[in-house]
Amino acid sequence: ELTPLPLISLLRAKYRIIHWSQDTKDFEAHSAEQLVSWFSSTRPRPGDVVLMHDCVGLSAQCISQCCKLWAEHSEFLAIPMD
């Protein structure tokens, strides 16, 4: 939970705060099949922000396959770092 005081500190330090609405929990996955299963059973809603970690090897390994599951009804955009 982000409380007001830390939020103010982050904003003063010029950090961008982005909240996600869907969490793949990719950091807990033990196999690519678990991530693919999450994408198979979850459908995004307009405006959803899906959290995935670029430091999780499984995410990088199966991101293309996962995106293909949503390709018909989704647009994928990366959130710029700057």
Side-chain angles (χ1 to χ4, degrees), residues 1-67:
E1 180 178 323
L2 187 56
T3 58
L5 188 57
L7 174 61
I8 291 168
S9 297
L10 290 169
L11 293 172
R12 283 185 179 153
K14 306 274 191 234
Y15 281 87
R16 285 184 14 190
I17 310 300
I18 300 170
H19 294 277
W20 60 87
S21 51
Q22 297 280 351
D23 186 356
T24 63
K25 299 198 184 305
D26 56 343
F27 58 92
E28 293 179 348
H30 298 289
S31 68
E33 289 79 23
Q34 281 182 294
L35 283 176
V36 171
S37 176
W38 185 90
F39 276 84
S40 295
S41 65
T42 306
R43 291 289 174 224
R45 296 176 306 264
D48 272 350
V49 174
V50 178
L51 176 65
M52 294 186 80
H53 299 84
D54 58 0
C55 61
V56 175
L58 286 174
S59 296
Q61 179 183 352
C62 67
I63 188 70
S64 293
Q65 183 180 1
C66 293
C67 289

